[in-house]
Amino acid sequence: MASKAKAAAAAAILPHDALFLGFDSSTQSLKATVVDAKLRIVTSEIVHFDSELPHYKTKDGVHRDLSENGRVTAPALMWVEALECVLDKLKKRSFPFEAIKAVSGSGQQHGSIYWKKDTLNSKLQKLSHLESLHGQLQDAFSTIHSPIWMDSSTFVQCKEIEEALGGAVALSLLTGSRAHERYTGPQIRKLYQTQKEVYENTERISLVSSFMASLLVGDYVSIDYSDAAGMNLMDFKNRIWSHVALEATAPHLEEKLGPLAPPHAVAGVINPFFVERYDFSADCLVIQWSGDNLCSLAGLALDHPGDVAVSLGTSDTVFGITTNPLPGLEGHIFPNCVDPQSYMVMLVYKNGSLTREEVRDRCADGSWDHFNKLLDETSPLNDGKVGFFYKYPEILPPLPVGVHRFCVKEAESLDDVSEAQEVLAFDPSTEVRSLVEGQFLSMKTHSKRIGMPMPPKRIIATGGASANHRLLVLMATIFGCDVYTAQRTDSASLGAAFRAAHGWLCNDQKDFVPIASMFANAAEDGAIQFKLSAHAGPNDLQAKFAALAKKRAELEHMLVAKYGANSTL
């Protein structure tokens, strides 16, 4: 096995003078990251939509439609101009574009772009380097409003699609997720129902990822089957469009979506527009783009089952790799964009850092130092005090705004959660610990349900709150594994750069090359650096937390049955 691994690593050597470019087209910005053959970061650049492209009049990168509850869109042309802007910034710094062997990227998931009929022949395939890209494509779309992941206006369409497919569970078993309002399938169905003329005038529907790749190639680029799993339209195990899902969404949809492609495949060579305007090499490859969460997985070097990442940000996200996905009513499953044999599983919690900050402000005078002192004043397990804190309507579990506090006595001895006593308030130190323990216990419980291995081999913590060492110690104890922190926070654009190198390598070898082989050749001072921040806690304490997690899950089930997602407290 060792000799086989060495041989694979020897075959995974990138040209010593090569550079690889990765983009991240996110909600609020477009970022570019360049790495060299040893996966060291060479340079990066960014364009902020609101401040640098103010003529699109976005706030936080989006348009919120005040006339329709929950409708959130972004102008597709803004993303086109942002691509030019970020390349112009690099050009002004005399960046050597000719050294780039391959380009790839990540796009905010679920967003959709609608290309107008005859755009391919009349515009996209006839780009001139003498004119701006956005100027040539300003009339290329059948609608200028691209619905994005923040949109929550498709409740009716979600229910229609689930009903047509035999229910939410059946849809999840087929596509990897139940119907979600932000998912592309319900968004397309709504557009077909409410703007039929726009749908009929559309010749191709792209995701943000395939849209940006299409700009670079000058042709329609396929949606990759990793990002396609965020649409409620693909048979996620067979990695083909599901005809029953397509028919339940809109007519003639497959011809508008085009074929699917493996995420490591070559989408094409870069368009002459970029060769003439920026001095890219004419043989620079464009590797399939994919979704931002999927590229983050690559950027964090999660390359085998047992790896789990926890992002502690505005929303908290847990994602990892499994070979045995368990689709259900919670969580999301995507084919892994850097390993065709495994899947990425993901949980999203709306109540992340903003909820922690609310408790900090209320209990700790707005001070994280005081917050940590309060956490230290209580013992692990919190003497059986359990809390559920929802500053915003929660996705997982589906519960409305509210706070619930329970005393479950000795966590390891209580057999019936109906005996748990609900109380109106905890003292500040108990409140702080019940919040943090509750968030991590929920992550562990729901991660196991969707097929993530428990305990993980390791956790890589990212996001702003990962700077709080006390939170990481508690995370390590509850999950029962060591916790590492990433040295960089821009994992999506970095992952896209890694994927550009990986796609180039697969094309060069004319076969799929495990990305771990490429990572094995990275320099010690390369971008793949993690710091061990917290060791797994004692086994006896882990067992007690496992018992508390079970009790908390039963309380959660009781709350969902009582209040549900659409109830009010």
Side-chain angles (χ1 to χ4, degrees):
M1 291 295 291
S3 60
K4 187 176 181 180
K6 287 182 179 179
I13 296 176
L14 299 164
H16 70 92
D17 57 347
L19 298 179
F20 300 92
L21 172 59
F23 293 100
D24 175 33
S25 183
S26 67
T27 311
Q28 301 186 56
S29 65
L30 176 67
K31 182 164 189 178
T33 298
V34 180
V35 299
D36 65 14
K38 289 295 184 178
L39 306 186
R40 293 173 294 222
I41 294 176
V42 175
T43 191
S44 62
E45 194 56 84
I46 191 168
V47 172
H48 297 280
F49 301 149
D50 289 2
S51 59
E52 297 183 69
L53 299 171
H55 44 286
Y56 292 101
K57 299 180 180 179
T58 58
K59 181 175 178 9
D60 303 321
V62 305
H63 293 149
R64 293 174 175 84
D65 189 344
L66 299 180
S67 67
E68 183 178 354
N69 187 38
R71 179 167 165 78
V72 183
T73 65
L77 198 62
M78 177 179 72
W79 299 328
V80 179
E81 188 170 355
L83 177 61
E84 291 181 281
C85 287
V86 79
L87 292 174
D88 286 341
K89 285 187 173 185
L90 289 170
K91 185 176 181 179
K92 288 178 181 177
R93 290 160 47 186
S94 300
F95 177 78
F97 288 100
E98 68 279 3
I100 295 175
K101 292 289 187 182
V103 180
S104 190
S106 89
Q108 53 173 296
Q109 290 196 260
H110 317 303
S112 49
I113 297 90
Y114 300 81
W115 297 91
K116 185 187 295 185
K117 282 185 176 179
D118 199 39
T119 292
L120 180 64
N121 294 327
S122 65
K123 298 181 185 298
L124 195 56
Q125 292 182 335
K126 295 183 178 180
L127 297 173
S128 168
H129 72 279
L130 300 176
E131 302 177 46
S132 69
L133 187 62
H134 68 281
Q136 296 177 77
L137 295 178
Q138 61 182 342
D139 192 35
F141 312 109
S142 52
T143 175
I144 61 173
H145 305 292
S146 291
I148 65 160
W149 69 273
M150 295 172 69
D151 188 283
S152 59
S153 66
T154 61
F155 177 82
V156 171
Q157 288 75 24
C158 287
K159 294 304 178 186
E160 290 173 345
I161 292 171
E162 287 184 345
E163 183 177 346
L165 272 292
V169 172
L171 181 63
S172 179
L173 291 172
L174 177 65
T175 69
S177 297
R178 67 176 304 168
H180 292 278
E181 291 177 310
R182 68 187 185 276
Y183 268 44
T184 322
Q187 294 290 343
I188 293 172
R189 180 164 179 78
K190 180 188 171 187
L191 182 127
Y192 168 70
Q193 291 177 332
T194 62
Q195 301 179 71
K196 192 172 182 180
E197 71 287 352
V198 171
Y199 183 80
E200 291 179 345
N201 195 33
T202 298
E203 70 177 4
R204 177 62 75 101
I205 300 173
S206 296
L207 295 182
V208 176
S209 56
S210 62
F211 170 71
M212 299 297 289
S214 297
L215 299 178
L216 292 170
V217 173
D219 201 347
Y220 291 147
V221 167
S222 296
I223 296 171
D224 81 285
Y225 54 58
S226 294
D227 208 8
M231 301 176 76
N232 286 137
L233 293 174
M234 186 186 74
D235 178 336
F236 85 97
K237 287 189 175 179
N238 292 309
R239 304 178 192 200
I240 57 174
W241 294 123
S242 165
H243 290 295
V244 290
L246 294 172
E247 291 171 3
T249 301
H252 312 297
L253 183 52
E254 185 170 5
E255 63 189 60
K256 295 181 185 292
L257 293 172
L260 291 162
H264 62 274
V266 175
V269 294
I270 201 158
N271 188 270
F273 174 91
F274 299 95
V275 176
E276 298 293 337
R277 202 171 180 97
Y278 298 102
D279 293 325
F280 278 91
S281 169
D283 59 0
C284 174
L285 300 181
V286 178
I287 307 301
Q288 288 283 156
W289 287 41
S290 195
D292 53 358
N293 292 302
L294 293 146
C295 288
S296 288
L297 179 144
L300 293 171
L302 271 67
D303 57 7
H304 59 270
D307 286 339
V308 170
V310 177
S311 177
L312 301 174
T314 303
S315 59
D316 286 344
T317 305
V318 185
F319 54 93
I321 299 172
T322 183
T323 55
N324 182 35
L326 302 173
L329 294 180
E330 56 189 49
H332 315 284
I333 297 173
F334 308 88
N336 187 345
C337 70
V338 292
D339 176 15
Q341 304 303 317
S342 65
Y343 297 86
M344 171 180 161
V345 288
M346 184 174 71
L347 302 172
V348 179
Y349 293 87
K350 189 175 289 187
N351 287 273
S353 285
L354 295 181
T355 300
R356 286 187 288 272
E357 290 167 8
E358 189 276 330
V359 174
R360 176 204 63 188
D361 294 345
R362 179 164 46 84
C363 297
D365 301 320
S367 166
W368 285 117
D369 288 339
H370 190 186
F371 183 96
N372 289 338
K373 287 179 182 177
L374 291 173
L375 189 60
D376 291 342
E377 289 176 4
T378 50
S379 301
L381 306 170
N382 212 20
D383 194 29
K385 306 295 193 305
V386 175
F388 298 79
F389 298 83
Y390 305 123
K391 178 179 173 65
Y392 304 98
E394 185 51 83
I395 300 169
L396 189 64
L399 284 170
V401 172
V403 178
H404 310 273
R405 304 174 182 88
F406 295 92
C407 297
V408 297
K409 301 177 184 177
E410 292 295 327
E412 63 267 34
S413 64
L414 183 65
D415 294 322
D416 186 356
V417 294
S418 64
E419 300 174 14
Q421 178 186 1
E422 187 163 8
V423 297
L424 293 177
F426 290 147
D427 63 77
S429 58
T430 301
E431 185 94 334
V432 166
R433 182 168 285 275
S434 64
L435 164 71
V436 178
E437 285 190 350
Q439 289 181 324
F440 293 150
L441 287 168
S442 179
M443 291 177 187
K444 180 178 181 180
T445 298
H446 290 285
S447 296
K448 186 175 182 179
R449 288 180 185 172
I450 64 168
M452 290 194 205
M454 287 294 143
K457 291 182 179 178
R458 61 173 180 170
I459 287 176
I460 298 174
T462 65
S466 65
N468 189 327
H469 183 254
R470 284 176 177 81
L471 298 189
L472 302 184
V473 170
L474 189 53
M475 183 191 295
T477 301
I478 289 175
F479 276 88
C481 67
D482 292 344
V483 173
Y484 295 77
T485 48
Q487 300 304 294
R488 293 184 63 92
T489 58
D490 52 344
S491 56
S493 64
L494 179 61
F498 290 166
R499 290 188 56 253
H502 181 237
W504 184 93
L505 196 59
C506 293
N507 182 70
D508 181 67
Q509 296 293 312
K510 296 181 173 54
D511 194 8
F512 180 82
V513 177
I515 198 168
S517 302
M518 186 182 80
F519 288 155
N521 290 315
E524 290 186 4
D525 61 345
I528 307 173
Q529 296 184 53
F530 304 104
K531 174 186 175 184
L532 176 60
S533 296
H535 289 285
N539 290 337
D540 60 336
L541 189 54
Q542 292 176 31
K544 291 178 180 179
F545 267 120
L548 182 59
K550 181 179 179 181
K551 303 306 176 187
R552 190 182 187 281
E554 292 169 2
L555 287 169
E556 179 185 287
H557 181 76
M558 182 178 71
L559 289 172
V560 171
K562 184 176 182 180
Y563 299 111
N566 300 308
S567 302
T568 55
L569 298 182

